[in-house]
Amino acid sequence: MHVPDGFIDAPVSAAAGVVAAGAVAVSLRGARRELDERTAPLAGLVAAFIFAVQMLNFPVAAGTSGHLLGGALAAILVGPYTGVLCISVVLLMQGILFADGGLTALGVNVLDMGITTTVVAYALFRGLARVLPRTRRSVTVASFVAALVSVPAAAGVFTLIYWIGGTTDIPIGKVFTAMVGVHVLIGIGEAVITALTVGAVVAVRPDLVHGARGLTAPLKLRVDGELVDVPARQPVAPVAARSPRGLWATGLITALVLAGFVSFYASASPDGLEKVAADQGIDKKTEEHAAKDSPLADYGVKDISDARVSGGLAGVIGVGATIVVGSGVFYVLRRRRTPDAPAGSAHDREMV
């Protein structure tokens, strides 16, 4: 759903940029409460992982493909404010280095792919967390539903933006039906990827998952037909004190393999927005990307003729650049965190 230059007129693109910049500024402040010395490095990893998975277009229907948007995944793993920043970093790297998503449309993309997906997904996730049982399975189920809904929600927001500032005269009802229809299908893929990833992390380190804070319930035993709490025992090495380095290394290796190798086998069909744009005539006034001459444009390394090597190397460079920039941002935010700002509000520390 990367909107290119020329889809949305200049005034609306500028207005979207102002809104996106304001949301990013708010997120910079909010992320200070979400990040601590253990989760700050993981936030950079989440951004790099989302970059890698976005290279894996999967087929959906009728010659159309889709890829992860990542807002739900980021919000659940590292928090909604940090999640917005993760997606913003990914979009910035894609636009500048890979000519993916217009530079004049960067505000539109951040508003649509970053803010909309993160806010919708996290609000729904928290709502489900209040009514579902306090289990790891519930976190996975809530992640699936939140991710599923976030994608057509973003498609709806794009349609609204296009209705206000689209550069071609297309009946908005047709655009809405086409966009939401195909992105419901893409949302299923998003939901599967998000649920699998969140479930895998919760299974090994639930203490590092923002949406799973307070997940551990007291162990109970059945005595004379009644359930009673088992007396709490102080563990030798509390889970909260364990280093996240193992998870970080595993995540980084996974991201590098996905971007450097698996991405070669991604679907070559146009993604949801490209397909709808071509079918409905939205792309009539598409402009050339300002970074079209980038040595990494279109996810390939210039002057390397072997497509597998070129694409794989570009993916690895993208993962590296994203994790460096993302980790730098989150390191600075953690350093600027005030002593009286705990990692997460009382609401965020509620039992999922």
Side-chain angles (χ1 to χ4, degrees):
M1 203 184 294
H2 294 78
V3 179
D5 297 318
F7 274 27
I8 309 298
D9 63 28
V12 175
S13 294
V18 171
V19 174
V24 168
V26 171
S27 297
L28 287 169
R29 294 179 61 87
R32 296 179 195 174
R33 300 191 299 272
E34 294 174 344
L35 298 169
D36 58 28
E37 62 279 359
R38 294 179 304 120
T39 58
L42 292 177
L45 175 63
V46 168
F49 181 80
I50 289 173
F51 173 91
V53 180
Q54 283 196 2
M55 294 183 66
L56 309 180
N57 280 49
F58 49 85
V60 283
T64 309
S65 69
H67 63 71
L68 182 82
L69 299 186
L73 178 62
I76 295 166
L77 288 180
V78 293
Y81 294 111
T82 308
V84 168
L85 299 180
C86 284
I87 304 301
S88 298
V89 168
V90 171
L91 292 171
L92 183 64
M93 293 296 100
Q94 290 170 333
I96 293 176
L97 298 179
F98 299 93
D100 188 11
L103 295 184
T104 62
L106 181 60
V108 173
N109 284 319
V110 170
L111 178 59
D112 193 28
M113 295 178 62
I115 299 166
T116 299
T117 58
T118 301
V119 171
V120 170
Y122 194 72
L124 183 54
F125 177 85
R126 295 304 308 181
L128 291 172
R130 292 180 179 277
V131 298
L132 293 175
R134 297 160 52 170
T135 65
R136 295 178 181 178
R137 181 175 297 178
S138 295
V139 173
T140 304
V141 171
S143 301
F144 182 94
V145 176
L148 174 62
V149 174
S150 70
V151 177
V157 169
F158 168 79
T159 305
L160 176 62
I161 295 174
Y162 190 82
W163 178 56
I164 298 172
T167 55
T168 55
D169 187 16
I170 306 295
I172 199 63
K174 296 176 65 175
V175 176
F176 177 81
T177 301
M179 282 293 294
V180 174
V182 71
H183 283 90
V184 166
L185 300 177
I186 295 173
I188 296 173
E190 176 106 9
V192 171
I193 295 171
T194 300
L196 289 175
T197 304
V198 171
V201 179
V202 167
V204 294
R205 291 299 302 269
D207 59 301
L208 295 179
V209 177
H210 183 89
R213 287 178 176 172
L215 181 64
T216 306
L219 182 63
K220 293 181 180 293
L221 291 177
R222 187 174 297 277
V223 178
D224 296 331
E226 296 183 0
L227 291 176
V228 298
D229 291 339
V230 173
R233 294 185 301 172
Q234 180 66 30
V236 177
V239 67
R242 287 161 46 195
S243 171
R245 290 179 181 175
L247 179 63
W248 192 92
T250 301
L252 178 58
I253 292 172
T254 302
L256 291 172
V257 170
L258 292 176
F261 177 74
V262 181
S263 62
F264 181 77
Y265 301 97
S267 173
S269 299
D271 66 23
L273 178 58
E274 291 173 329
K275 178 66 173 176
V276 172
D279 291 346
Q280 302 297 328
I282 296 175
D283 59 355
K284 291 179 180 178
K285 296 187 178 180
T286 302
E287 300 174 0
E288 284 192 335
H289 200 288
K292 63 182 178 63
D293 295 324
S294 165
L296 298 173
D298 297 323
Y299 297 93
V301 178
K302 190 175 182 180
D303 297 329
I304 295 183
S305 58
D306 188 299
R308 186 189 298 270
V309 175
S310 177
L313 183 56
V316 169
I317 293 172
V319 168
T322 303
I323 201 168
V324 168
V325 173
S327 297
V329 170
F330 298 126
Y331 175 78
V332 171
L333 288 176
R334 183 184 70 82
R335 295 281 294 179
R336 295 184 62 183
R337 180 177 151 202
T338 56
D340 59 342
S345 64
H347 172 71
D348 288 337
R349 291 194 299 271
E350 288 179 0
M351 180 68 136
V352 172

Coordinates of all heavy atoms in Angstrom, one line a residue, residues 51-57 254-268 299 307-316:
F51 N 10.7 -4.5 7.9 CA 11.3 -4.2 6.6 C 11.5 -5.5 5.8 O 11.1 -5.6 4.6 CB 12.6 -3.5 6.7 CG 13.3 -3.3 5.4 CD1 13.1 -2.2 4.7 CD2 14.2 -4.3 5.0 CE1 13.7 -2.0 3.4 CE2 14.8 -4.1 3.7 CZ 14.6 -3.0 3.0
A52 N 12.0 -6.5 6.4 CA 12.3 -7.8 5.8 C 11.1 -8.5 5.3 O 11.0 -8.9 4.1 CB 13.2 -8.7 6.7
V53 N 10.1 -8.6 6.2 CA 8.8 -9.3 5.8 C 8.1 -8.5 4.8 O 7.3 -9.2 4.0 CB 8.0 -9.5 7.1 CG1 6.7 -10.3 6.8 CG2 8.8 -10.3 8.1
Q54 N 8.2 -7.2 4.7 CA 7.5 -6.5 3.7 C 8.0 -6.8 2.3 O 7.4 -6.5 1.3 CB 7.5 -5.0 3.9 CG 6.6 -4.5 5.0 CD 6.4 -3.0 5.0 OE1 6.9 -2.3 4.1 NE2 5.6 -2.5 5.9
M55 N 9.2 -7.4 2.2 CA 9.7 -7.8 0.9 C 9.1 -9.1 0.4 O 9.3 -9.5 -0.8 CB 11.3 -8.0 1.0 CG 12.0 -6.7 1.3 SD 13.8 -7.0 1.3 CE 14.1 -7.4 -0.4
L56 N 8.3 -9.8 1.3 CA 7.8 -11.1 0.9 C 6.3 -10.9 0.5 O 5.4 -11.2 1.2 CB 7.9 -12.0 2.1 CG 9.3 -12.1 2.8 CD1 9.2 -13.1 4.0 CD2 10.3 -12.6 1.8
N57 N 6.1 -10.5 -0.8 CA 4.8 -10.4 -1.3 C 4.2 -11.8 -1.5 O 4.9 -12.7 -2.0 CB 4.8 -9.7 -2.6 CG 4.8 -8.2 -2.5 OD1 5.7 -7.7 -1.7 ND2 4.0 -7.5 -3.2
T254 N 16.9 -14.1 11.4 CA 15.7 -14.4 10.7 C 15.4 -13.3 9.7 O 15.1 -13.6 8.5 CB 14.5 -14.6 11.6 OG1 14.7 -15.6 12.6 CG2 13.2 -14.9 10.9
A255 N 15.5 -12.1 10.1 CA 15.3 -11.0 9.2 C 16.3 -11.0 8.0 O 15.9 -10.7 6.8 CB 15.4 -9.6 9.9
L256 N 17.5 -11.3 8.2 CA 18.5 -11.3 7.2 C 18.2 -12.5 6.2 O 18.4 -12.3 5.0 CB 19.9 -11.5 7.8 CG 20.5 -10.3 8.5 CD1 21.8 -10.6 9.3 CD2 20.7 -9.1 7.6
V257 N 17.8 -13.6 6.7 CA 17.5 -14.7 5.8 C 16.3 -14.4 5.0 O 16.2 -14.7 3.8 CB 17.3 -16.0 6.7 CG1 16.7 -17.1 5.8 CG2 18.6 -16.5 7.3
L258 N 15.3 -13.8 5.6 CA 14.0 -13.5 4.9 C 14.3 -12.5 3.7 O 13.9 -12.6 2.6 CB 13.0 -12.9 5.8 CG 12.4 -13.9 6.8 CD1 11.4 -13.2 7.7 CD2 11.7 -15.0 6.1
A259 N 15.1 -11.4 4.1 CA 15.3 -10.4 3.1 C 16.4 -10.8 2.1 O 16.3 -10.4 0.9 CB 15.8 -9.1 3.8
G260 N 17.4 -11.5 2.5 CA 18.5 -11.9 1.7 C 18.3 -13.1 0.8 O 19.0 -13.3 -0.2
F261 N 17.4 -14.0 1.2 CA 17.2 -15.2 0.5 C 15.7 -15.5 0.1 O 15.4 -15.7 -1.1 CB 17.8 -16.4 1.3 CG 17.6 -17.8 0.6 CD1 18.3 -18.1 -0.5 CD2 16.6 -18.6 1.1 CE1 18.1 -19.3 -1.1 CE2 16.4 -19.9 0.5 CZ 17.2 -20.2 -0.6
V262 N 14.9 -15.5 1.1 CA 13.5 -15.9 0.9 C 12.8 -14.9 0.0 O 11.9 -15.3 -0.8 CB 12.7 -16.1 2.2 CG1 11.3 -16.5 2.0 CG2 13.4 -17.1 3.1
S263 N 13.2 -13.6 0.0 CA 12.5 -12.6 -0.8 C 12.6 -12.9 -2.3 O 11.8 -12.4 -3.0 CB 13.1 -11.2 -0.5 OG 14.5 -11.2 -0.8
F264 N 13.6 -13.6 -2.7 CA 13.7 -13.9 -4.1 C 12.5 -14.7 -4.6 O 12.2 -14.7 -5.8 CB 15.0 -14.8 -4.4 CG 15.3 -15.1 -5.8 CD1 15.8 -14.2 -6.7 CD2 15.0 -16.4 -6.3 CE1 16.0 -14.5 -8.0 CE2 15.2 -16.7 -7.6 CZ 15.7 -15.7 -8.5
Y265 N 11.9 -15.4 -3.7 CA 10.7 -16.3 -4.1 C 9.4 -15.6 -3.9 O 8.4 -16.2 -4.0 CB 10.8 -17.6 -3.4 CG 12.1 -18.4 -3.6 CD1 13.2 -18.3 -2.7 CD2 12.3 -19.1 -4.8 CE1 14.4 -18.9 -3.0 CE2 13.4 -19.8 -5.0 CZ 14.5 -19.7 -4.1 OH 15.7 -20.4 -4.3
A266 N 9.4 -14.3 -3.6 CA 8.2 -13.6 -3.3 C 7.4 -13.4 -4.6 O 7.9 -13.5 -5.7 CB 8.5 -12.2 -2.7
S267 N 6.1 -13.2 -4.5 CA 5.2 -13.1 -5.7 C 5.6 -11.8 -6.5 O 5.9 -10.8 -5.9 CB 3.8 -13.0 -5.2 OG 2.9 -12.7 -6.3
A268 N 5.6 -11.9 -7.8 CA 5.9 -10.8 -8.6 C 4.7 -10.1 -9.1 O 4.8 -9.1 -9.8 CB 6.7 -11.3 -9.8
Y299 N 14.7 -2.4 -5.0 CA 15.2 -3.5 -4.3 C 16.2 -4.4 -5.0 O 16.1 -5.6 -5.1 CB 14.1 -4.4 -3.7 CG 13.2 -3.6 -2.8 CD1 12.0 -3.0 -3.3 CD2 13.5 -3.5 -1.4 CE1 11.2 -2.3 -2.4 CE2 12.7 -2.8 -0.6 CZ 11.5 -2.2 -1.1 OH 10.7 -1.5 -0.2
A307 N 20.0 -11.4 -10.7 CA 18.8 -11.0 -9.9 C 18.8 -11.5 -8.5 O 18.4 -10.8 -7.6 CB 17.5 -11.3 -10.7
R308 N 19.2 -12.7 -8.3 CA 19.1 -13.3 -7.0 C 20.1 -12.6 -6.1 O 19.8 -12.3 -4.9 CB 19.5 -14.8 -7.1 CG 19.3 -15.6 -5.7 CD 19.9 -17.0 -5.9 NE 19.2 -17.8 -6.8 CZ 18.1 -18.5 -6.5 NH1 17.6 -18.5 -5.3 NH2 17.5 -19.2 -7.5
V309 N 21.4 -12.4 -6.6 CA 22.4 -11.8 -5.8 C 22.0 -10.3 -5.5 O 22.1 -9.8 -4.4 CB 23.8 -11.9 -6.4 CG1 24.8 -11.1 -5.7 CG2 24.2 -13.3 -6.6
S310 N 21.6 -9.6 -6.6 CA 21.2 -8.2 -6.5 C 20.1 -8.0 -5.4 O 20.2 -7.1 -4.6 CB 20.8 -7.7 -7.8 OG 20.4 -6.3 -7.8
G311 N 19.0 -8.8 -5.6 CA 17.9 -8.6 -4.7 C 18.3 -9.0 -3.2 O 17.9 -8.3 -2.3
G312 N 19.0 -10.1 -3.1 CA 19.4 -10.5 -1.8 C 20.3 -9.5 -1.1 O 20.1 -9.2 0.1
L313 N 21.3 -9.0 -1.8 CA 22.2 -8.0 -1.2 C 21.4 -6.7 -0.8 O 21.7 -6.2 0.2 CB 23.3 -7.7 -2.2 CG 24.4 -6.8 -1.7 CD1 25.0 -7.3 -0.4 CD2 25.5 -6.6 -2.8
A314 N 20.5 -6.3 -1.7 CA 19.7 -5.1 -1.4 C 18.9 -5.3 -0.1 O 18.8 -4.4 0.7 CB 18.8 -4.8 -2.5
G315 N 18.3 -6.5 0.0 CA 17.6 -6.8 1.2 C 18.4 -6.8 2.5 O 18.0 -6.3 3.5
V316 N 19.6 -7.4 2.4 CA 20.5 -7.4 3.6 C 20.9 -6.0 3.9 O 20.9 -5.6 5.1 CB 21.7 -8.2 3.3 CG1 22.8 -8.1 4.4 CG2 21.3 -9.7 3.2

